[in-house]
Amino acid sequence: MVSTLQGHREHVKSIAYSPSSLQLLSGSNDNTVRLWDCESRSCIFVLDGHTDEVWAVAFSPSGKQVASAGRDKTVRLWDIQTGANLSILTGHTEWISCISFSPDGHAVVSVGGDGMIRFFDTQTGQPGEVWESQSGKMMVVAYSPRGLEIAVGNDNGELLLYSTTTGKPTRSWKAHGETVECLSFSPNSQYIATCGYDRTVKVWNTVTGSVLSVFASHGSSVLQAAFSPNGLQLASCSLDCTIRLWDVSSLGTGMDEKGGSDPLTSVLFSPDGRVLFSGATDGKVVTVWDLGTGQADVVLRGDIGLVTAMEFSADSRWIATGSEDYTVRIWDARSG
């Protein structure tokens, strides 16, 4: 381990690297957001203003602004040069579970318990459009890489696609029998991967809404699924203590590894696509997998509490973890 970033007084729920990898953002149940300098390992700003737990944080594509949201029903936009709270988006009547910047950085979209999709103009600091859904609580949202669509996953298992040009839903369908826990677009925006409590991972065609692949080998709820940078593989992790690497084109599995005796909560590809790393509920191990051999290449050990968030730096050198022991830790991905 390289550094332990201390200062939060409650669980760290979300983290995000800046596009340059020089800064790190963390959101916590202590109602604060912290901006860290990755070289000096010091806290640059404590972004204070939320009145309840912070569940989601994100950097703008330019790296000049950050957004945060959570249980207090607001989205806040911050200037990373001064630490000033630029704008506060209100309007949600329930908690906010997820936020996403548009690829051009001009908007932030938020979803949560009230079933509303709200946009925030980052240039003017003003609320934007509000799209209403009758589909219940919304758990996850993501812009497509091209910015032409957003996808929303609901607690009732429904997946919705909206056109950002018209603001109208283009497709909606029942993706899972229970909550959509995670969704991600393929790098070319053609596919969406979803996973959920029904133990399945599914790949969907964004144009037709048809299912291309259904991976049903997990023995328990699937908490995360992620495309590789080239879009050819999909990794998933589950409460069944396994990571599975799926070949999207052949519907086969390239790797099926037991991650230990504890359920796995996070899985993520490195930006160069060469390694995969996973975090477990035991809070003692983050494992880095060599995708060439399928073997555990590096094991990052430490009594760090339940790992609640993980991020790779853009250069694939560093791994950041946030956990229930109130810390953010930075690891050397090569040496462990």
Side-chain angles (χ1 to χ4, degrees), residues 70-83:
R71 198 169 180 177
D72 70 356
K73 310 171 189 175
T74 69
V75 178
R76 292 173 184 258
L77 193 67
W78 311 84
D79 186 316
I80 68 164
Q81 300 298 319
T82 65

Side-chain angles (χ1 to χ4, degrees), residues 41-314:
R41 318 301 184 192
S42 61
C43 181
I44 303 170
F45 294 117
V46 178
L47 308 180
D48 199 355
H50 283 285
T51 59
D52 212 327
E53 298 171 359
V54 179
W55 292 350
V57 295
F59 265 95
S60 67
S62 69
K64 295 179 180 179
Q65 294 177 329
V66 297
S68 58
R71 198 169 180 177
D72 70 356
K73 310 171 189 175
T74 69
V75 178
R76 292 173 184 258
L77 193 67
W78 311 84
D79 186 316
I80 68 164
Q81 300 298 319
T82 65
N85 189 179
L86 300 175
S87 304
I88 303 173
L89 173 64
T90 60
H92 280 289
T93 59
E94 296 285 346
W95 41 262
I96 299 170
S97 56
C98 191
I99 56 177
S100 179
F101 270 98
S102 61
D104 61 10
H106 292 169
V108 174
V109 63
S110 59
V111 299
D114 61 3
M116 307 295 285
I117 304 170
R118 291 184 176 270
F119 291 85
F120 193 0
D121 188 320
T122 62
Q123 307 300 299
T124 65
Q126 297 299 312
E129 295 184 15
V130 180
W131 301 347
E132 185 173 0
S133 169
Q134 304 298 324
S135 301
K137 295 180 171 128
M138 297 180 162
M139 307 306 293
V140 286
V141 64
Y143 268 96
S144 67
R146 297 174 182 172
L148 299 178
E149 294 178 303
I150 64 165
V152 178
N154 289 5
D155 71 340
N156 63 4
E158 191 173 9
L159 181 66
L160 302 97
L161 277 180
Y162 290 82
S163 166
T164 57
T165 303
T166 65
K168 303 295 183 183
T170 56
R171 300 209 185 301
S172 66
W173 63 92
K174 190 75 169 179
H176 293 273
E178 298 181 64
T179 299
V180 178
E181 183 67 18
C182 179
L183 66 83
S184 63
F185 278 93
S186 63
N188 62 7
S189 299
Q190 293 182 359
Y191 308 115
I192 298 174
T194 61
C195 63
Y197 291 167
D198 64 1
R199 306 181 180 185
T200 65
V201 180
K202 299 181 182 182
V203 180
W204 308 88
N205 185 306
T206 58
V207 176
T208 65
S210 60
V211 62
L212 299 179
S213 307
V214 179
F215 306 119
S217 298
H218 278 296
S220 189
S221 299
V222 186
L223 298 188
Q224 196 164 14
F227 278 102
S228 63
N230 63 11
L232 299 179
Q233 291 178 313
L234 189 69
S236 59
C237 68
S238 167
L239 295 181
D240 68 3
C241 309
T242 64
I243 315 166
R244 294 175 186 267
L245 189 66
W246 315 91
D247 187 324
V248 174
S249 59
S250 69
L251 311 185
T253 58
M255 184 179 81
D256 184 2
E257 292 293 335
K258 189 170 181 62
S261 59
D262 289 272
L264 299 173
T265 57
S266 305
V267 65
L268 191 66
F269 281 93
S270 63
D272 61 13
R274 298 176 62 184
V275 298
L276 185 74
F277 75 106
S278 60
T281 59
D282 63 4
K284 295 181 179 168
V285 176
V286 174
T287 305
V288 183
W289 304 89
D290 185 323
L291 294 181
T293 65
Q295 300 300 310
D297 189 41
V298 177
V299 178
L300 314 179
R301 298 184 183 275
D303 291 311
I304 60 178
L306 171 64
V307 175
T308 53
M310 297 195 298
E311 280 289 332
F312 253 113
S313 63

